[in-house]
Amino acid sequence: MFVVLLCLAAAAVLAACGGQAAQQGTDNKAQQLSGNITAVGSTALQPLMEQAATQFMAKNPNARIVVQGGGSGTGLTQVAQGAADIGNSDIYAEEKEGIDVSQLTDHQICVVGMACVVNPAITVDNLTKQQLIDIFTGKTTNWSSVGGPDQKIVLVNRPKASGTRAVFKKYALGGAEEATGIEEDSSGTVRKIVHDTPGAIGYLALSYLDGSVKVVNLDGVAPNKENIVTGKYLVWGYEHSYTKGKPGGVVDDFLKFMMTDEVQKNIIPQLDYIPETDMKITRDAKGNIKSK
C-alpha cells in the first residue's frame, strides 16, 4: 500500500512539473514572438484585421500590429514596394494594373459580400441589375423612376483605388463606368453619408451593415451568406492578405493565426464575413465560377 501511494505521489509530481514546463514553454513562445507588422489596404477587411490583431497582441505582448485602411489599390502598391508587411485587398493582385504579381504571395483569409445600400427614407426594396446600372451611370437621376419617392438620387462612391468599388463595379454594374458623385475613402464614412443624405445610394461590405442604412436586394436576391455561398448572389470577393514573397517571423505567425479556428470560426462569422471553407463555389481572378 505504501509503495502504491509513493508511486501515485511521484506521478502527481511529474504531471505537475510537466504541466508547468508546458505552460512555461507556451509563455516563452509568446515572449519570443516579437516584432512590428504594418497591414495596409482594404477597409472592407479592416474590422476583421483590427480585431484579430488585438487578440494576437494580447497573446503575444512583444508583437505590435498597426492596421490601416486606404483601399485595396494602396495595400497592393505598398506591399509590392516593401512599404507595408501585409497588403490587404478585396481583389486579386492580377486585377490591379502595375503590380508585379510574381513578387507577391496571396493569403486568402475569407469572403465578404458587398451590398447596395440607400438612405433609410427611400422606399425601394429591390432593384434590377439594369436599374442599378442606370442609377450609377447617371441615366436614372430620380427615385420615382424606379418606384421610389420623387427624390433626387445622390451617388456615394468609393475612390478608384478601392477594392470594394472594383468588386461592386465588376459584379453589380457589369463593368459600367460610374457617373460622378460623392467619393469617400472610408467605408464607415460612406455609411454615415448614406444615412445622413436624403436620396443617397452607395455600397458597403456586409461587415459594415449596422442597421443605420437600408439594404436593397438585387434582382430579388438578398445579399446574405446563404445566397453568397451558393452563388445566387454574385457581388462578393475574396479578402486577400498579400505579402512580398513568403512571409517570415511574426508576419508568418500572424497570418497563420488568421487561419486558426479562433479567427475562422469565431471572429469571422461574428463580423459577418464568410469562411472560405463554407463556400460551395470558387471564383478566379477573371471572374470564372465553378463548383467545389
Side-chain angles (χ1 to χ4, degrees):
M1 182 66 176
F2 175 74
V3 173
V4 173
L5 290 174
L6 186 61
C7 289
L8 289 174
V13 170
L14 287 172
C17 290
Q20 290 174 358
Q23 180 61 46
Q24 185 175 359
T26 301
D27 291 342
N28 287 339
K29 184 179 179 183
Q31 292 174 2
Q32 291 168 2
L33 284 181
S34 62
N36 299 326
I37 300 173
T38 301
V40 180
S42 164
T43 60
L45 184 57
Q46 193 170 351
L48 170 60
M49 187 67 62
E50 287 175 341
Q51 187 161 330
T54 297
Q55 295 192 204
F56 183 83
M57 288 187 290
K59 296 173 179 290
N60 303 282
N62 292 329
R64 183 172 183 268
I65 304 172
V66 176
V67 180
Q68 301 172 347
S72 298
T74 299
L76 290 170
T77 299
Q78 290 205 13
V79 75
Q81 293 175 346
D85 301 298
I86 298 173
N88 294 321
S89 176
D90 311 323
I91 59 174
Y92 284 94
E94 293 90 328
E95 298 179 80
K96 171 70 175 172
E97 291 185 11
I99 298 295
D100 185 356
V101 180
S102 66
Q103 294 187 25
L104 302 182
T105 300
D106 185 8
H107 310 270
Q108 287 188 5
I109 304 301
C110 60
V111 168
V112 67
M114 312 293 182
C116 176
V117 296
V118 298
N119 180 271
I122 299 302
T123 55
V124 173
D125 299 312
N126 178 75
L127 291 168
T128 66
K129 184 174 183 178
Q130 189 57 56
Q131 286 175 328
L132 192 68
I133 291 171
D134 289 344
I135 287 172
F136 271 90
T137 57
K139 183 177 179 181
T140 298
T141 59
N142 194 293
W143 283 108
S144 61
S145 300
V146 291
D150 183 11
Q151 173 74 56
K152 179 184 176 182
I153 295 173
V154 178
L155 299 179
V156 185
N157 223 327
R158 295 290 308 284
K160 291 192 175 181
S162 164
T164 301
R165 176 172 177 167
V167 170
F168 190 80
K169 179 177 180 176
K170 187 172 184 177
Y171 297 110
L173 304 180
E177 194 65 30
E178 307 97 318
T180 302
I182 298 171
E183 280 195 6
E184 286 295 337
D185 184 58
S186 163
S187 293
T189 305
V190 168
R191 181 178 60 197
K192 186 177 189 309
I193 290 174
V194 172
H195 173 267
D196 293 345
T197 307
I201 182 171
Y203 45 87
L204 292 167
L206 300 190
S207 51
Y208 278 89
L209 300 181
D210 61 358
S212 65
V213 292
K214 183 176 182 178
V215 177
V216 177
N217 295 342
L218 298 182
D219 285 324
V221 181
N224 57 35
K225 177 183 176 180
E226 181 183 1
N227 291 330
I228 291 171
V229 299
T230 57
K232 291 180 181 178
Y233 186 84
L234 296 178
V235 191
W236 59 270
Y238 292 108
E239 290 299 333
H240 310 261
S241 288
Y242 282 96
T243 56
K244 191 169 185 177
K246 292 185 178 180
V250 70
V251 176
D252 185 42
D253 289 310
F254 176 61
L255 289 172
K256 286 178 178 176
F257 173 71
M258 294 294 294
M259 303 310 295
T260 62
D261 285 352
E262 183 174 348
V263 176
Q264 293 289 316
K265 294 186 178 180
N266 293 315
I267 303 177
I268 282 177
Q270 286 171 10
L271 297 180
D272 290 323
Y273 298 89
I274 301 171
E276 196 278 333
T277 52
D278 288 356
M279 296 293 290
K280 295 177 171 52
I281 57 174
T282 62
R283 185 161 66 193
D284 62 22
K286 295 181 179 179
N288 300 314
I289 291 178
K290 64 179 182 180
S291 298
K292 282 188 174 179

